[in-house]
């Protein structure tokens, strides 16, 4: 009698593997950008590039998984794959960011806050609203931004991300599902 083994093609197992790969790739990308110029980490274009790359990788690995299981995947399996992938990769990214902020470069959060604040003020100036913001409001924004770079802020952001991941997994699940039309009859 053969020992029972875990099915290697379950959505959760495939998502765990994909999530680790995506999380590590995103972490490497984040560190490369940090070493090039830390200010890019709070640039709007960087956020857009990361989002596109992130979605593209989840879709790529989802399609690979769908091919592995026969070319068809129902919405439930596609949602489960997407959600677990997003959570695992998000957790790896969060841990990597915490290592960057608290071990590798503890001064980085303060520099990112100042850069982010400068970007916001410049954007407000472009819209003609730069003069309407007071020094107290700037200090309040600085404190809120600084709080997001603490351990508690990082964990809170990951908690909020889980809710966002669920919504994104619904969208990705709809993209990745493929119905076997031969079973309709």
């Amino acid at each position: 009698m053969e020992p029972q083994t875990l099915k290697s093609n379950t959505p959760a197992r495939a998502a765990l593997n994909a999530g680790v790969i995506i999380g590590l790739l995103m972490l490497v990308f984040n560190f490369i950008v940090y070493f090039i110029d830390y200010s890019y980490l709070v640039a709007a274009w960087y956020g857009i590039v990361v989002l596109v790359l992130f979605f593209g990788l989840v879709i790529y690995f989802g399609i690979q998984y769908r091919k592995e299981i026969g070319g068809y995947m129902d919405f439930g399996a596609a949602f489960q794959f997407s959600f677990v992938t997003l959570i695992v990769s998000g957790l790896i990214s969060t841990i990597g960011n915490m290592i960057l902020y608290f071990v590798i470069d503890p001064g980085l959060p303060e520099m990112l806050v100042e850069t982010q604040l400068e970007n916001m003020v410049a954007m407000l100036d472009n819209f003609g609203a730069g003069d309407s913001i007071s020094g107290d409001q700037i200090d309040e924004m600085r404190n809120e931004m600084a709080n997001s770079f603490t351990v508690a802020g990082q964990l809170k952001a990951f908690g909020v991300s889980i809710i966002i991941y669920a919504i994104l997994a619904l969208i990705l699940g709809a993209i990745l599902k493929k119905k076997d039309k031969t079973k309709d009859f």
Side-chain angles (χ1 to χ4, degrees), residues 30 33-34 37-43 46 97 100-101 105-120 141-142 145-146 148-149 154:
N30 202 38
V33 169
Y34 162 73
D37 185 351
Y38 75 88
S39 67
Y40 293 159
L41 294 173
V42 291
Y46 175 74
N97 285 338
L100 177 61
Y101 300 152
D105 190 351
L108 181 62
E110 185 177 325
M111 294 186 301
L112 290 176
V113 166
E114 291 306 317
T115 303
Q116 194 173 12
L117 198 56
E118 289 170 10
N119 291 346
M120 277 182 69
M141 285 190 288
R142 179 179 286 115
M145 289 177 194
S148 70
F149 290 105
Q154 292 290 300

Side-chain angles (χ1 to χ4, degrees), residues 100-166:
L100 177 61
Y101 300 152
F102 307 122
V103 177
I104 295 172
D105 190 351
L108 181 62
E110 185 177 325
M111 294 186 301
L112 290 176
V113 166
E114 291 306 317
T115 303
Q116 194 173 12
L117 198 56
E118 289 170 10
N119 291 346
M120 277 182 69
V121 170
M123 185 179 68
L124 289 171
D125 283 340
N126 287 340
F127 289 116
D131 295 334
S132 66
I133 193 163
S134 71
D136 290 339
Q137 289 172 319
I138 290 175
D139 289 340
E140 185 178 323
M141 285 190 288
R142 179 179 286 115
N143 290 335
E144 288 176 22
M145 289 177 194
N147 287 337
S148 70
F149 290 105
T150 64
V151 173
Q154 292 290 300
L155 294 175
K156 181 180 174 185
F158 181 70
V160 170
S161 294
I162 291 174
I163 296 166
I164 295 168
Y165 291 159

Side-chain angles (χ1 to χ4, degrees), residues 37-58:
D37 185 351
Y38 75 88
S39 67
Y40 293 159
L41 294 173
V42 291
W45 67 265
Y46 175 74
I48 293 168
V49 168
V50 166
L51 194 62
V52 168
L53 186 61
F54 195 57
F55 276 121
L57 288 170
V58 173

